[in-house]
């Protein structure tokens, strides 16, 4: 894959995976399997909270699920019929175990656990306001803000307190909370993040980030959580409610392009097939005079299938991926990054030798990975390398839950396509159009617009980005970018 | 590690050790050595926060210093000229790393680290009040309360906020705080806990629980922190202030009897020599018709020296202590406790055979250890075992920072001396009188009273115990116990 | 870790990866990268021995490279210009660190390190003979036998001792030894295992299991090690010699089918392309009336490409592989195996729904995995599942270095194809013919025969199997199997 | 304690503790408790082998018992009614887990485990001879030699093979072996190392290094193993035999002086009482004009008691020992050693101020620790420091199982007493005489001589030291030292 997400020390947002289940024996073990299917959404840390007859117990730690739960006793300790879990994405400078979710707080009158996927765009402002009122934050995560807002609400019931709190936060978020009495699932008013409900054979409900996790635990898909909804799952079953009706649908298109698993369906659209259509569309928009099509495993496998079929060129395995991950030991950054690429991918000379190659990738962020891959292809004998990217050029930062909040390192933000081509060393370089992307996904929904967020590519943000707006103020003045809920419609 | 649900109030207090230094290169390493000298005050966990040019960095973990800082890189990471450290006492059911101090909070405008030794007797009430106002607690420790109180103060400066907060908490506490600008040391109005100031050869000031830690880092003793004082140590040197003048001196007598190191001086009285005098006094009050005097190493070595000298009986090494600690594997509690005693202590038959033994110990809490020791002495051939305790019988619980908050398990609270003698299997059993204890310590101070808290023995608590009072209400009505600041005077 | 008592003979063999380099600064780090490219050949343990100015130093441990060398200091400790490394395959019941290679022995006059890939078929006999002469074995590995044989040789030089020893062992083996003076590479007389020589840009020679490891360290391919060769690499360069001339070429066909990496070339034949041709041939031999072709990632990706192209059916991504590995927690074996398959693979319903599927797999051993995969495909909506295996049915055990030494668990050894089809639940099941396999690989070599071992499929073993022969004696009598060096010719 | 044993990279010998039991349920757990009582004899590593119905299973690791068996499962895995255990002393350059005992070897016909305390003085020669005959050594430990010798014996039974092997090795050794059929205990012909037999209440026999371990497991003392004996313990009970009758008794006097626990009896002499008598004798031989006597805890506590009583001077606690062990972080060796002493010991000013102190220590090896202690005493106010050592000056190396095999670092080997006094900074320095030592121990035995080895002090070695003799050849020529079995008689 070509994305190495931009990291900055003050970056609080994250891509993550969440999973919750109510009403199933050994709920923590089921949650473990569900989180395993979401491990691609976060590898920095993971945690599970189980509800044992009204008492919440937690295990969490840094690293992969297989590391944190290496000792089987840990999972055995988490008894009970309901559980909440989280996998956390690696962002620099946020490494402490106190940032690993689910967060859990013990009040004198109740316990609450919280797991969150997304980014709160007015977090900085809210945090300052709360601190000015005496709030103390233990973590550097946005997620803690929601707990403070709930706790400070004067409303009578937990659900009302939660609704009031949800109306105060902005951005992209899929949130799961668990109290001794139930699980609560809420999605932001724009539906930026994927979030689905499933049901197990015994009738128990599951709420999780992707349908792949439903399949992993044998749950059937029930429905997508809708923007602005607040769903309660408890011993009485599932109750669908909403905390706001001022909603639009603006699913983050990067979920289809890169983040979600190919076997997941988001809003009725299978991710693999969407990607394959992107590849087909790309073949139409950007044909190449070449002999073979080569994928960058695993991220562009689907798009490459589509490109090959539509172009009629053979899809050949010119690159293979080492399934094992190991660190590099070289100190200088540049060399280490190249070494890392070479440890992950290998070219097959007998496939590539003398060939004009179409290299299909899902996206270009910094461009360095592309440069190293193209160099490997040429070393293996490729005569020409035509790079085709199955998404539009990535020009604008994201603020709704993906860790790219600055345009400084975005190659496409600072270079023309021709400049990019030269820097990565390709014989030609072309991107999918934004229209082509939207058409390929082909989302069907009742509301206005295409249902997607494509701000990365066209600068049209469906909602204000609050604390981040100063960064983009100059571009807003020129009209290059907009913050407008109607734009995506 | 699993987070337990809400904890009961009687497991929140702790005996601990604290150490802070301002103005010394490699302050964290110095703090490590200082904490090592305080390791006897807490083995459950430890942490150090260093101040690197105004930024606070923390390392903490469960276990001994040697475990938490096994990787030398951890200490190297803690750069800077000021540091704060803490060793935590093992109390049941409070095992999470989130309870390990120093606590550190990051506000948008500042950072604060806090290390605390003692117990806040109105913690439950304050916690509830704070939670009702929206406060969220991460840990089950009392210590967090102080941070919330500071943060909610409307006063203009940190020192004023801190003073206001200190006036709201009750109990026994020695507190060290560090901000980017300085270290702040405060002692409770009764001076329950030991707390001293020292100075390093380069002029830097140190504040810590015991003089033994000053010696360990090559600092000279400057003064004891006085009840009600708030001392600021920063680049301008040391400034002595107070947050209240409504103070008395009531040093916890258990520090002299058991907790503090023999080489520490508390309020000018050396602990070893105080213990030796307790032994001498005990010999006078409770002589025994015996051949030899035997200590329980290491806790009663000093008192045994005094008893032997005053009685004229030879001080013989009838018991030795294994310097290595290892767990037991037997499941049933009773057997395991006996096994644990036998793994720690061994009797020397050639010393004991046929002898009438005076066994001097520092105190009896549950009585089970005494029973096992006496059994060992008899198995090794001792003809008679006369137990002499170098402190009065322990009848009443403690609420000022030692983990004995219920009289249920106190043998002396529920048994006459004769009943105790039978249960532990001694030929005779006698305790030091409270007057003898007070005289042996021989504290000199300008105020009224003897300067000590002896509530464990006589039930006269120098201050109300707030949230714990219901437990003792019945006894207060009969006058068996009192809560009166004048009593210790 | 517990050492098990005496192990049964049928758990001693292993598939492994080896890597050695002489004459390159930071040789251990290079070896690390080389082993990383061979990690697929063994995940149980790994070790590296470095030659620091004539002194050999070793690091080894259980688990993946990333685990064993997690602490970068370990690799830094391994200084010097020559190194030897090994990755070990997980075989049941051989778990001790004393079995992790390279083995290293310190004689009073020299040090020897040894890394081995393969199986010695007369190990049991040799071990008994050696023990009867007083030899003491520390490990349960065959590899140690070679060290004893070398040491007991009366020959004058190390090379002569080694030759004598090599002539005493039978089976399949690629061996690397390192002394302070050089590296020695030897291949068994039948060339069962792949083994290649490469050269780094600075002229240093590398010997390793697969060309993929050469590419990973930037070495150019020089030549395949030939059966019966003993190659010395030292400061004088590379010297090619042989310890026997009684050789044939019988490369283990399973290397092409399953074990080796697709980007490796074995004896001039690229593995990916060989597999693709197997798929093409399979399509010709066993067409299917179907809508789509689906691979089992990653092992059958290449063959599936070939099948799809030759059949004209679309190659669709009906199954995806989770790139993260985590354990299961279910106790009963059967369920756990199914859970494990479901944690590794997911079906994509939108691809499979209503489709007649050709499922191409590389081989069937026990059949249980196939059964679970087919069940998943049907659950995802597949209408028909036609299983096509890109290798012949696996009927006879292997004794030359792959961990299948008994026919008890081989499904094809005990079931007809129709019985297998029913058990795995397929609509149809067909295998590639042995002739088709041999043709697909298309090995070119100067000697007689096809250069391959296909004993698994046809029972014609190119060499006696010594200590294992009693197991197959009955079948030999019926002529069902043969042990004949000429057979493979 | 003043001994920091000399370490050199090539030092193969070690002080260790061994424990074996036959015929007791949960034998491994009992062995754990026994080894815990022997932990002072070795902290580098430990291992236990259990005999589960004829199958031997092993757990071993680096570090203390509490580290190696931190996971209780490890001990639970070691099922069975017989077990063998070992604690290993830390010697530099021998750190691998392959050197941790018990050693265990799996032959095709049997298993043997071996634990050893001592040093084989002809190890180098035997090792070379064995290697010349083809033996391969895995460890750098002498102990492995015995296994090779047993294995190469042509005798018919294991006991006869063992006897033959024992007659080939020289030096000081207490050895325990376990086969599926029994435990075998053998002591060297001079009885250098302590070795005792005990019996549990159920009749099971225990063999171990010290009586302290018998007490720890509730076994009664049966007898000391005699020089040259080979004792078999199996289901038939205990059978006492011998492999040689050419024996003398030369117990290592350092066991009484420093190594053994005070509560152990060696050959009927209690160690604590022997040390106390050394102190008494020292007071007579070397009185001091002083005010108080101060011990170096814990090693000289017994001798100090004796000195104080005999001299009539008060025994005061001028130094206390920190019961927790932590590493230092200072890099330069000199400073680090001083820091280490200061982290271990603290002086009590109020005891020492203005006093003329007799500092009693058990021995002086390098002298640096003494120097730092004296400096601490003076800093704490001691007016004079008179050092009295309760053993003779340590001038000659040891070769029978204590890690001091060179005289280079022995302060007394290279300095006069007056030079030593100046270097350590004492006001006076005196040692116990060798005659005083022998008398204080007062060993009663039937044979000739005093039953002790005092070679460290007088150079009279009771047996040749074989491979080490070249080092001392020059001194032997001058008659300064002798190798003579009769000398100690």
């Amino acid at each position: 894959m070509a994305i190495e997400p931009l990291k900055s020390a003050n970056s609080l947002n994250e891509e993550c995976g969440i999973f919750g289940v109510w009403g199933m024996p050994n709920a923590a073990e089921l949650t473990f399997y569900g989180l395993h299917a979401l491990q691609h959404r976060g590898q920095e840390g993971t945690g599970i909270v189980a509800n044992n007859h009204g008492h919440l117990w937690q295990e969490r730690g840094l690293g992969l699920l297989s590391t944190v739960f290496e000792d089987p006793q840990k999972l055995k300790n988490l008894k009970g019929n309901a559980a909440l879990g989280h996998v956390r994405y690696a962002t620099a400078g946020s490494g402490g175990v106190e940032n690993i979710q689910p967060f859990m707080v013990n009040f004198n009158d109740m316990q609450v656990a919280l797991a969150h996927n997304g980014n709160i765009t007015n977090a900085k402002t809210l945090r300052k306001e709360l601190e000015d009122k005496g709030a103390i934050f233990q973590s550097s995560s946005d997620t803690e803000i929601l707990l403070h807002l709930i706790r400070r609400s004067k409303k009578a019931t937990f659900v009302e307190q939660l609704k009031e709190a949800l109306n105060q936060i902005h951005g992209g978020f899929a949130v799961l909370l668990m109290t001794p009495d139930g699980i609560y699932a809420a999605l932001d008013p724009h539906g930026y993040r994927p979030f689905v409900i499933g049901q197990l054979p015994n009738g128990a409900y599951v709420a999780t980030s992707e349908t792949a996790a439903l399949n992993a635990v044998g749950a059937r898909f029930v429905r997508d959580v809708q923007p602005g909804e607040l769903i309660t799952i408890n011993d009485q079953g599932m109750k669908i409610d909403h905390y706001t009706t001022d909603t639009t649908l603006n699913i983050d298109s990067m979920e289809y392009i890169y983040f979600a698993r190919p076997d997941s369906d988001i809003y009725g659209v299978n991710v693999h097939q969407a990607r394959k259509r992107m590849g087909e569309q790309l073949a139409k928009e950007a044909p190449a005079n070449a002999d073979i099509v080569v994928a960058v495993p695993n991220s562009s496998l689907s798009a490459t299938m589509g490109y090959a079929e539509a172009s009629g060129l053979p899809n050949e395995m010119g690159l293979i991926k080492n399934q094992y991950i190991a660190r590099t030991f070289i100190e200088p950054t540049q060399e280490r990054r190249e070494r890392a690429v070479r440890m992950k991918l290998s070219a097959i000379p007998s496939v590539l030798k003398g060939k004009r190659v179409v290299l299909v990738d899902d996206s270009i962020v910094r461009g360095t990975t592309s440069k190293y891959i193209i160099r490997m292809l040429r070393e293996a004998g490729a005569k020409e390398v035509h790079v085709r990217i199955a998404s539009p050029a990535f020009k604008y930062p994201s603020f709704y839950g993906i860790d790219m909040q600055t345009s400084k390192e975005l190659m496409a933000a600072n270079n023309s396509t021709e400049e990019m081509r030269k820097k990565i060393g390709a014989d030609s370089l072309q991107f999918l159009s934004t229209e082509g992307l939207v058409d390929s996904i082909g989302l069907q929904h009742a509301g206005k617009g295409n249902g997607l967020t494509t701000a990365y590519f066209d600068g049209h943000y469906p909602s204000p980005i609050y604390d981040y707006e100063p960064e983009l103020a100059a571009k807003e003045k020129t009209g290059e970018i907009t913050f407008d809920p109607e734009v995506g419609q």
Side-chain angles (χ1 to χ4, degrees), chain A:
Chain A
M1 68 93 180
I3 290 194
E4 285 192 63
L6 306 180
K7 289 173 191 169
S8 60
N10 70 342
S11 168
L12 298 178
N13 56 339
E14 59 229 8
E15 180 66 24
C16 298
I18 57 181
F19 186 97
V21 58
W22 186 274
M24 180 71 187
N26 297 321
E29 186 177 326
L30 194 93
T31 300
F32 175 88
Y33 297 128
L35 291 178
H36 178 62
L38 300 175
Q39 186 82 80
H40 63 290
R41 297 184 73 85
Q43 299 93 44
E44 189 196 18
T46 188
I48 298 176
V49 172
N51 186 334
N52 189 6
H53 297 291
H55 281 284
L56 307 189
W57 297 85
Q58 181 187 48
E59 292 283 353
R60 58 178 180 173
L62 294 166
L64 296 173
L65 272 164
S66 54
T67 302
V68 174
F69 291 94
E70 191 176 11
D71 177 357
Q73 193 54 46
K74 282 199 174 180
L75 210 49
K76 281 188 197 154
N77 290 341
L78 295 173
K79 298 190 193 332
N81 292 338
L84 205 63
H86 189 268
V87 289
R88 178 180 165 81
Y89 178 74
T91 55
S94 58
V97 77
E98 68 275 7
N99 281 330
I100 304 301
Q101 301 186 24
F103 286 123
M104 200 172 101
V105 283
N106 300 306
F107 299 117
N108 53 46
D109 53 352
M110 78 178 298
Q111 291 180 294
V112 182
L114 187 155
H116 167 244
N117 169 28
N119 186 36
I120 301 177
T121 47
N122 60 336
K124 207 172 153 188
T125 300
L126 288 171
R127 195 178 175 109
K128 176 136 190 1
E129 284 172 14
L130 285 162
E131 286 193 359
D132 288 347
K133 289 179 195 154
I136 292 178
F137 285 82
Q138 301 291 327
S139 74
S140 57
S141 163
D142 291 3
T143 308
E144 212 181 334
I145 290 168
L146 191 62
L147 290 171
H148 283 275
L149 293 174
I150 295 167
R151 198 63 190 169
R152 277 155 195 269
S153 167
K154 305 294 182 204
K155 300 288 183 184
T157 69
F158 181 76
V159 165
E160 285 171 3
Q161 289 164 8
L162 177 53
K163 283 185 181 179
E164 188 174 74
L166 289 166
N167 275 298
Q168 291 172 265
I169 61 174
H170 300 300
F173 51 85
V175 177
L176 275 173
L177 295 102
M178 183 165 64
T179 70
D181 303 321
I183 281 181
Y184 306 88
L187 183 61
D188 70 75
H190 299 277
Y192 290 119
R193 306 261 63 92
F195 204 6
V196 293
I197 302 289
Q199 194 171 25
L200 291 163
N202 79 338
Y205 284 100
V206 171
T208 186
S209 297
E210 296 191 26
T211 61
L214 296 183
N215 296 338
V217 301
R220 71 171 182 88
F221 170 78
V222 173
R223 65 193 296 276
D224 291 280
V225 180
Q226 302 297 324
E229 282 189 347
L230 170 58
I231 295 176
T232 300
I233 300 171
N234 56 24
D235 290 346
Q236 278 68 53
M238 174 172 66
K239 186 186 158 199
I240 297 168
D241 194 359
H242 55 265
Y243 64 91
T244 179
T245 55
D246 183 12
T247 64
T248 60
L249 184 66
N250 305 86
I251 300 171
D252 190 331
S253 59
M254 279 301 284
E255 292 281 353
Y256 289 104
I257 295 167
Y258 172 70
F259 273 112
R261 273 172 60 141
D263 55 334
S264 283
D265 295 341
I266 306 176
Y267 236 82
V269 176
N270 173 251
V271 171
H272 159 67
Q273 291 188 319
R275 287 178 192 167
K276 196 172 168 190
R277 288 191 298 267
M278 294 175 208
E280 289 164 2
Q281 177 68 20
L282 181 62
K284 288 174 205 155
E285 295 185 10
N289 210 356
D291 304 312
I292 59 173
V293 185
V294 167
V296 181
N298 291 334
S299 59
S300 77
L301 289 175
S302 301
T304 305
M305 278 188 172
Y307 193 100
E309 284 183 23
S311 67
L313 294 172
N315 180 6
E316 291 285 352
M317 195 192 286
L319 289 167
I320 70 155
K321 186 178 177 185
N322 191 330
Q323 64 179 311
Y324 301 98
I325 301 157
R327 56 168 295 166
T328 57
F329 291 92
I330 302 165
E331 289 309 324
T333 303
Q334 186 77 351
E335 267 186 68
R336 187 166 55 192
R337 196 165 286 167
E338 181 158 8
R339 165 61 69 190
V341 171
R342 285 176 184 273
M343 287 176 75
K344 203 166 69 182
L345 295 173
S346 313
I348 305 189
S350 47
V351 169
L352 297 162
K353 199 159 204 177
K355 291 296 193 321
R356 293 171 303 166
V357 173
V358 177
L359 179 75
V360 178
D361 207 349
D362 62 296
S363 56
I364 293 184
V365 180
R366 275 202 205 86
T368 44
T369 303
S370 301
K371 186 173 72 179
Y372 301 135
I373 292 174
I374 293 165
R375 191 182 293 172
M376 284 166 63
L377 295 177
R378 294 203 192 275
E379 288 170 5
K383 207 166 65 181
E384 295 175 14
V385 181
H386 301 276
V387 176
R388 295 296 178 269
I389 303 297
S391 65
F394 207 131
K395 291 183 184 169
Y396 304 100
S398 163
F399 304 100
Y400 306 124
I402 292 179
D403 188 26
M404 284 177 261
Q405 293 173 4
T406 168
S407 47
K408 267 182 239 157
E409 298 194 78
L410 292 175
M411 198 184 207
N414 304 294
N415 291 276
S416 70
T417 301
E418 173 59 14
E419 286 167 341
M420 290 175 78
R421 184 197 66 75
K422 279 185 191 157
K423 285 188 177 172
I424 64 174
D427 292 290
S428 72
L429 168 65
Q430 283 184 268
F431 291 88
L432 182 64
S433 66
T434 302
E435 297 69 33
L437 171 69
V438 170
D439 289 351
S440 299
I441 297 174
L443 191 68
Q444 305 293 323
H445 73 120
K448 290 183 293 181
N450 57 36
L452 296 170
T453 292
T454 54
Y456 318 106
F457 315 121
D458 58 16
H460 299 322
Y461 291 86
S463 66
I465 55 168
Y466 298 93
D467 297 339
Y468 301 101
E469 288 189 15
E471 298 184 30
L472 297 183
K475 290 190 175 172
E476 195 189 6
K477 278 183 193 151
T478 67
E480 184 182 343
I481 65 167
T482 58
F483 304 121
D484 182 356
E486 293 302 304
V487 161
Q489 307 305 308

